[in-house]
């Protein structure tokens, strides 16, 4: 998110040097900086007891590639709550365990993606309206259905490389 106007008073912000931060949008009326920030999101690799991965397809994301479960962190919720909620909403699966793995910056959409691994029991999916399709895949199948270089494929590769 890039600030042009002060969110408190509506004044047009000016660039001002703020210590080591460099030139930062600043409100002369409120006397405070407004640091530009990325949108906070979670991305979750969902794994069952057979080491299969649940991937989804959403037409508004891609009609060709599968992706991991992802979504925006809502006000008042932690990243862990967001990741668990998104798995429940998009797949209808309750995570038995959830662990943070690392963060990724997605420049194209100015997002800070906080990556998680969710372990679930293999069940049929109960998809949300925003998910067109979901399937369980082996590592090799999942890898072949994901966009090369994507954050989702990096998350998949990191998980299985650590298992070796």
């Amino acid at each position: 998110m890039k600030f042009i106007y002060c969110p408190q008073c509506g004044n047009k912000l000016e660039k001002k040097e703020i210590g080591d931060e460099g030139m930062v949008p600043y409100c002369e009326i409120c006397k405070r900086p407004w640091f530009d920030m990325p949108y906070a999101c979670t991305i979750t690799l969902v794994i069952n007891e057979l080491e299969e991965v649940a991937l989804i397809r959403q037409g508004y994301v891609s009609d060709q590639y599968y992706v991991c479960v992802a979504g925006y962190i809502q006000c008042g919720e932690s990243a862990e709550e967001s990741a668990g909620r998104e798995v429940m909403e998009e797949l209808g699966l309750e995570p038995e365990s959830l662990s943070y793995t690392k963060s990724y910056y997605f420049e194209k959409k100015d997002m800070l993606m906080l990556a998680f691994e969710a372990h679930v029991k293999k069940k049929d999916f109960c998809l949300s309206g925003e998910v067109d399709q979901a399937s369980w895949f082996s590592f090799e199948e999942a890898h072949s259905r994901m966009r090369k270089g994507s954050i989702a494929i990096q998350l998949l590769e990191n998980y299985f490389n650590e298992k070796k």
Side-chain angles (χ1 to χ4, degrees), residues 42-56 67-71 82-99 101 115-127 131 134-139 142 146 152 155-157 159-160:
T42 59
I43 183 167
T44 306
L45 183 67
V46 179
I47 308 135
N48 68 27
E49 68 275 15
L50 304 173
E51 291 292 299
E52 294 172 318
V53 177
L55 297 178
I56 62 174
V67 297
C68 291
V69 169
S82 174
R85 175 183 52 76
E86 289 291 342
V87 172
M88 269 302 290
E89 284 178 3
E90 294 186 2
L91 295 173
L93 301 175
E94 181 77 40
E96 291 184 332
S97 67
L98 188 66
S99 57
T101 58
F116 288 85
E117 293 168 3
H119 291 269
V120 300
K121 289 282 187 220
K122 184 173 182 175
K123 295 181 185 174
D124 290 336
F125 301 116
C126 181
L127 303 179
V131 176
S135 295
W136 290 108
F137 296 104
S138 68
F139 169 79
M146 300 168 84
L155 186 54
L156 176 79
E157 289 170 348
Y159 175 78
F160 282 97

Side-chain angles (χ1 to χ4, degrees), residues 6 48 61 81 144 146:
C6 177
N48 68 27
V61 175
E81 289 167 334
S144 71
M146 300 168 84

Side-chain angles (χ1 to χ4, degrees), residues 49-81:
E49 68 275 15
L50 304 173
E51 291 292 299
E52 294 172 318
V53 177
L55 297 178
I56 62 174
R57 208 147 75 196
Q58 298 168 298
Y60 69 91
V61 175
S62 172
D63 56 2
Q64 182 180 3
Y65 296 106
Y66 282 82
V67 297
C68 291
V69 169
Y72 291 97
I73 298 173
Q74 296 178 358
C75 289
E77 91 182 332
S78 69
E80 292 81 2
E81 289 167 334

